[in-house]
Amino acid sequence: MPHSPADSPAGEPRPRGPQRRTVMRAGLGGAALAAAGLTFGSAGTAAADPARTGTQGPAAPQSPEADWHRYLQGPTDRTVRPVGILRSSGAVTDPDALLAPGGGSTTLSRPQPPQPPSWPDGTTATASSAHAPNNGDDGQPRTYDAANAIDGDPGTFWNDDTLAAYPDTLTVTTTAPLSLPGITLLSNADGVPSDFTVETWDGAAWQPAATVSGNTQVQRAVPFAATVSTTQVRISVTADQSTPQGEFTRINEVYPGLLPDNDVPRVVVDFGKVVVGYPHIRFSSASDNSPGVRLAFSETVEYLTERSDFTRADQSGVASQGTDQVAVPAGGADWKDTKGYQSGDQVYADGLHGFRYLQISLDALASDAPAAQPWGEVSIDEVWLEFTAYLGTPESYSGWFLSSDDDLNRYWYGAAYTNELVTDTFRSDDIDPRGADSPSLDGKSVLQDGAKRDRDPYVGDLAVSARTLYLTHDDAAEAARNVLADLADHQRSDGWIPPASINGYTLPLFDYPLWWVTCSWDYVLHTGDRGYATGYYPQLTKVLDSWYPSVTDGDGLLSKGLNGTSGYGDYAFLGRSGQITYYNANYVQALNDAASLAGWLGNSADAARWTARAATVANAVNAHLWDAAAGAYLDSATGPARHAQDGNAIAITAGVADASRAASALAHLDATTVLPYGNAFMDNDTIFDGASQRVYAFTSYPELVARFRTGRADSALDQIRRTYGWMDRHDPGITNWEGIGPDGSLYEGAYTSMAHGWSTGVVPALTNELLGARPTAPGFTTWSVRPRPGSVAWARGQLPTPHGPLGVDWRHPGQGAFALTLRVPGGTRGSVAVPTDGKAVSVRVDGKLAWNGKKAKAYDAAAEEGYVVLDGLTAGTRTVSVRPAD
């Protein structure tokens, strides 16, 4: 779930026993990266070895289970250790010892820094602007005046008052001339000046003394070309590092002189891929001055800096400055990173993290003295992670997939691992702190949206991630049910269902109640949970018959803005209103899903009413939102013309578009949205700058389904290879990103979640569409298998059902030849559609002729749009063979 700009972290000033080793499977870390043909550039992205990008995969294995096991990505148990050392700097001895528990210690050392010089009495400071006083993030009154930058207290700071507007200037004035060889700037981790100039006053004019660009150091010595005698120093900042707190200039101290380099000892360990849980460090010893250790976490090398790429403390009012702290006692400690303060209100750690890279530094916040000191010595025996998410092992996979295309196999299991990372227990300390905690969810297994953030269950995300869960680990289906039931239990009196627990179940989204309906039907289809269906049927009725009719206009279309909904958002918090194709196509899907559920429960009147309404809305979409000139559905009936991936794709999958419109809409997307890293979710930038360069795997999933189901399997496979191939090849590798921005970047910088459940649609796309198997009645009592092979030579897999696994294994030599083997669980029956490649074919089931090329001989066989469809296949092993009729 992308964050809302309105929900962004505020730009306010910041206050001050032995474990068994686990090897992560198929990780891309350290030497493994080189072996895999990947190298990191300066931006932390990985380039692919061309040999890895082809589509030729392995021959059909004789032992499929053993073969798919090698693609698994999760740990074998909950103790996870790093696989490589990315780098070290400063006084660090034997960093590789962190990779071999029991093989020695890694030591970080740093001498006590000298007492910094102070300004003469009477020195003053002025600034171009200063943030107004407030209570900071700790509830204590604070000021941010320029005088804080020369008061000798590194716990206070000057904070300008012009967010991302430059220059910001700070001028220091002494009462008498002072000889300066340079200055030392101590800034704040939430506002490091990256580009600035220093000038001195010669009595008549300002003279340049030094220029700094690209600075990333919190403490930066700035030497002058020659010693200068002056009464004034002016610092002009023209750029700051971007942080979740915004782009403010924050300077804690300006010292009159040059302090020794702030040579902080650091070592960066690499876990090989994104992991999630509680970091542990075993300190074997430390000096007796309470040396501080700071931890910074990142999913990517690009955003691995002195502050973590994300920390919940940024959103909760805790002065963490982007790292987790620990003060190490002289006797050492087995330290587990859990949320809270180590000493009163000092030395704070954030607890659980989702990350690939961990930077360990011998350093401490000035505000943490004397509880923690930025010098001394610490020795570390071990670093590991207590993995908290779902543990995906060969034994836990009740569903699996394998094909002749090695890339597709890798993407399927990378997505499955991504989804495992977000299947976790709901814990108040580890979730989004913006009002997301809920007694009704605490302690329950849930599907969250991201591993590092927001760690809150959003029902829209379940539209993809729950399907992935059902197809991989059916024993975890409770995680989806818990979310769906909890949101329904918090239904508003007017029928609206909240999207998540965030903001106390009040975040106003327009589309997510529709996803709740569709996700409820998905859950029932895969599990056959009649108790859920009957128990929450009243909520389903109320949202469809009360709330959505209240936002329906005279054309019969949902219209955002009616009934006080102008401020409502959607999955991407897009500024669109009125008649929107995406909302209305989703409405058609939800109505038809609700009708199916109602029919299963015997509520035929409701089923008929919702089916009729779905047809009415579909007709209205075609009448009012189809753009004949572009040959695609408009995103919005008003405003600049644009055509969105979400509305056009779901119009096809929901049956709003007929075959002609579907073909035209997909052709339009082909012509306007194709990028090296996927298909953009808008065809132009009229909704916001860069929209036509943004890719969401979330909205790409229904487009993949649309392509498969309209006979465009190879275009679907091409889109998969571009979207998931890009994520697979680039740092952090393997896991699926929340969103991709221009040129394949992280679309929201460091804030972007690099392991996001809503991006795992490649799993249901390959299992349900390429392999071709899916349920057609609750609990898989009936199912269908319709392979859509495209250029893939063979595929096999297994789908979990309440009756036992449904196995599918097919080979497609082409030219009218096709072989399919099914393993059908008892108590189920289904239909099979086998491709004909446009040729006259004969079809046999278990050796018995079922279709002779012209008419049925068994199983009610019938020809249908390039397939022969067979009905009534029952339990047991069934073989279906297709060959040219002659």
Side-chain angles (χ1 to χ4, degrees):
M1 169 89 187
H3 78 290
S4 163
D7 294 327
S8 299
E12 283 292 300
R14 304 292 292 175
R16 322 167 286 179
Q19 301 286 334
R20 180 162 70 88
R21 176 163 186 164
T22 292
V23 178
M24 297 288 281
R25 304 184 195 91
L28 297 179
L33 281 166
L38 300 179
T39 56
F40 283 111
S42 59
T45 56
D49 181 338
R52 291 188 72 228
T53 62
T55 60
Q56 296 302 314
Q62 297 302 309
S63 176
E65 288 77 8
D67 207 62
W68 65 260
H69 289 179
R70 70 187 177 92
Y71 291 99
L72 298 187
Q73 297 294 340
T76 56
D77 68 24
R78 296 202 175 277
T79 298
V80 181
R81 300 190 185 280
V83 299
I85 302 298
L86 184 69
R87 60 176 178 250
S88 64
S89 60
V92 178
T93 64
D94 197 11
D96 287 337
L98 296 178
L99 305 180
S105 297
T106 300
T107 300
L108 290 75
S109 306
R110 188 181 185 194
Q112 183 175 1
Q115 185 68 25
S118 58
W119 295 95
D121 290 345
T123 301
T124 60
T126 58
S128 53
S129 67
H131 198 286
N134 60 20
N135 287 333
D137 287 334
D138 57 5
Q140 301 300 313
R142 297 182 67 88
T143 63
Y144 306 97
D145 299 331
N148 289 343
I150 59 168
D151 65 358
D153 180 0
T156 65
F157 55 91
W158 164 60
N159 194 113
D160 85 285
D161 199 34
T162 57
L163 177 64
Y166 303 100
D168 301 327
T169 60
L170 175 70
T171 304
V172 179
T173 303
T174 62
T175 56
L178 190 67
S179 293
L180 294 175
I183 63 170
T184 301
L185 197 71
L186 177 65
S187 58
N188 190 294
D190 283 343
V192 175
S194 55
D195 298 343
F196 59 93
T197 59
V198 181
E199 300 168 290
T200 58
W201 182 254
D202 68 1
W206 290 104
Q207 299 297 330
T211 299
V212 175
S213 61
N215 176 52
T216 60
Q217 295 175 255
V218 172
Q219 180 175 309
R220 177 66 182 258
V222 184
F224 299 161
T227 298
V228 176
S229 179
T230 184
T231 58
Q232 287 187 295
V233 176
R234 183 168 72 183
I235 302 166
S236 299
V237 179
T238 54
D240 293 305
Q241 281 188 321
S242 178
T243 78
Q245 304 309 312
E247 286 187 35
F248 284 107
T249 297
R250 293 175 168 121
I251 296 178
N252 294 51
E253 287 296 318
V254 179
Y255 295 115
L258 299 173
L259 293 178
D261 286 342
N262 189 22
D263 193 13
V264 177
R266 295 189 175 96
V267 60
V268 178
V269 297
D270 178 5
F271 280 77
K273 66 194 75 177
V274 176
V275 293
V276 64
Y278 300 111
H280 287 248
I281 300 179
R282 175 170 293 156
F283 297 99
S284 56
S285 64
S287 52
D288 61 4
N289 64 306
S290 297
V293 167
R294 298 179 68 179
L295 308 180
F297 302 86
S298 182
E299 292 181 301
T300 63
V301 172
E302 181 179 5
Y303 291 103
L304 179 63
T305 66
E306 290 188 10
R307 74 161 14 252
S308 297
D309 60 356
F310 172 79
T311 173
R312 283 177 300 284
D314 290 332
Q315 300 171 316
S316 62
V318 172
S320 74
Q321 295 197 10
T323 59
D324 291 20
Q325 281 78 237
V326 57
V328 186
D334 284 352
W335 179 75
K336 177 181 178 179
D337 190 346
T338 54
K339 177 181 177 181
Y341 291 98
Q342 184 176 343
S343 177
D345 62 355
Q346 293 180 304
V347 195
Y348 182 82
D350 211 35
L352 181 142
H353 284 273
F355 64 99
R356 173 173 172 170
Y357 306 98
L358 165 59
Q359 177 174 275
I360 305 169
S361 304
L362 174 52
D363 197 11
L365 298 175
S367 57
D368 279 345
Q373 299 285 1
W375 58 277
E377 181 175 288
V378 297
S379 291
I380 303 173
D381 283 348
E382 296 184 67
V383 176
W384 72 94
L385 177 88
E386 179 185 319
F387 191 82
T388 62
Y390 186 93
L391 201 62
T393 65
E395 296 74 28
S396 75
Y397 271 80
S398 47
W400 53 269
F401 171 85
L402 201 61
S403 77
S404 58
D405 190 313
D406 187 64
D407 289 343
L408 299 182
N409 300 337
R410 236 179 19 259
Y411 307 156
W412 196 96
Y413 289 95
Y417 175 62
T418 300
N419 217 50
E420 292 162 15
L421 290 172
V422 302
T423 307
D424 206 339
T425 302
F426 191 93
R427 296 177 295 268
S428 60
D429 280 350
D430 302 333
I431 60 168
D432 195 311
R434 296 171 295 179
D437 191 22
S438 171
S440 57
L441 282 176
D442 284 339
K444 293 182 178 179
S445 176
V446 295
L447 265 174
Q448 300 164 331
D449 61 339
K452 78 174 179 183
R453 56 138 284 264
D454 303 317
R455 298 190 61 80
D456 193 25
Y458 285 87
V459 70
D461 298 52
L462 263 65
V464 179
S465 63
R467 291 185 180 182
T468 298
L469 185 67
Y470 306 143
L471 295 173
T472 54
H473 306 291
D474 64 335
D475 64 332
E478 178 189 13
R481 187 192 193 281
N482 287 339
V483 176
L484 294 170
D486 185 70
L487 296 177
D489 288 339
H490 288 84
Q491 186 174 41
R492 210 164 58 190
S493 60
D494 63 357
W496 178 83
I497 293 176
S501 64
I502 191 170
N503 292 353
Y505 295 92
T506 65
L507 182 66
L509 298 188
F510 193 84
D511 53 336
Y512 274 32
L514 295 170
W515 285 122
W516 180 87
V517 175
T518 289
C519 289
S520 291
W521 176 236
D522 279 349
Y523 170 74
V524 170
L525 266 179
H526 285 87
T527 66
D529 188 343
R530 186 174 289 270
Y532 174 86
T534 57
Y536 289 100
Y537 191 79
Q539 285 89 335
L540 183 147
T541 302
K542 193 171 185 180
V543 72
L544 290 178
D545 286 352
S546 294
W547 196 73
Y548 277 109
S550 78
V551 290
T552 299
D553 64 16
D555 291 328
L557 292 171
L558 300 182
S559 183
K560 187 159 80 73
L562 297 178
N563 194 25
T565 58
S566 59
Y568 280 47
D570 56 25
Y571 70 90
F573 297 95
L574 298 173
R576 48 187 179 183
S577 60
Q579 298 175 345
I580 306 297
T581 298
Y582 160 66
Y583 301 149
N584 283 282
N586 238 7
Y587 191 28
V588 172
Q589 184 66 60
L591 287 165
N592 283 325
D593 288 343
S596 296
L597 190 145
W600 182 57
L601 294 178
N603 299 321
S604 57
D606 289 344
R609 184 175 70 259
W610 290 330
T611 299
R613 193 192 308 171
T616 298
V617 176
N619 289 336
V621 169
N622 287 323
H624 298 284
L625 289 164
W626 178 255
D627 181 356
Y633 291 97
L634 290 164
D635 177 47
S636 173
T638 58
R642 60 178 176 265
H643 310 86
Q645 179 188 53
D646 54 15
N648 278 278
I650 298 174
I652 297 169
T653 60
V656 174
D658 58 20
S660 175
R661 283 192 173 97
S664 178
L666 291 173
H668 178 82
L669 297 181
D670 282 337
T672 59
T673 69
V674 174
L675 298 166
Y677 48 91
N679 285 10
F681 89 124
M682 289 284 171
D683 68 342
N684 63 42
D685 294 341
T686 57
I687 196 164
F688 65 82
D689 187 38
S692 64
Q693 299 298 306
R694 179 175 293 186
V695 171
Y696 285 125
F698 174 64
T699 54
S700 296
Y701 165 58
E703 184 181 347
L704 296 175
V705 175
R707 291 184 180 278
F708 274 118
R709 293 188 182 177
T710 57
R712 294 165 177 80
D714 281 334
S715 73
L717 293 170
D718 170 69
Q719 188 177 342
I720 287 172
R721 290 172 182 131
R722 283 182 289 110
T723 308
Y724 290 90
W726 186 272
M727 295 186 287
D728 181 67
R729 293 192 304 272
H730 290 78
D731 196 20
I734 298 169
T735 52
N736 304 147
W737 308 359
E738 180 182 17
I740 309 175
D743 300 319
S745 63
L746 281 63
Y747 84 119
E748 288 187 320
Y751 191 76
T752 307
S753 167
M754 306 303 287
H756 220 68
W758 82 344
S759 296
T760 62
V762 68
V763 168
L766 291 177
T767 295
N768 297 148
E769 310 303 331
L770 179 76
L771 189 65
R774 59 190 181 95
T776 55
F780 269 93
T781 53
T782 66
W783 43 264
S784 72
V785 173
R786 180 182 289 258
R788 299 175 174 93
S791 58
V792 175
W794 61 262
R796 56 174 38 155
Q798 178 174 288
L799 285 75
T801 88
H803 309 275
L806 171 64
V808 180
D809 184 340
W810 55 253
R811 290 166 179 76
H812 185 217
Q815 300 300 312
F818 191 84
L820 170 68
T821 300
L822 300 176
R823 296 183 304 279
V824 180
T828 75
R829 59 188 294 121
S831 67
V832 168
V834 286
T836 65
D837 300 326
K839 299 184 178 299
V841 298
S842 64
V843 179
R844 292 179 179 273
V845 178
D846 300 332
K848 179 181 178 181
L849 185 64
W851 177 259
N852 66 3
K854 296 181 180 179
K855 62 181 181 179
K857 293 295 184 178
Y859 294 100
D860 295 325
E864 177 188 295
E865 298 178 358
Y867 284 84
V868 171
V869 181
L870 311 165
D871 196 24
L873 279 78
T874 54
T877 299
R878 299 282 176 256
T879 60
V880 182
S881 60
V882 182
R883 63 184 60 185
D886 59 354

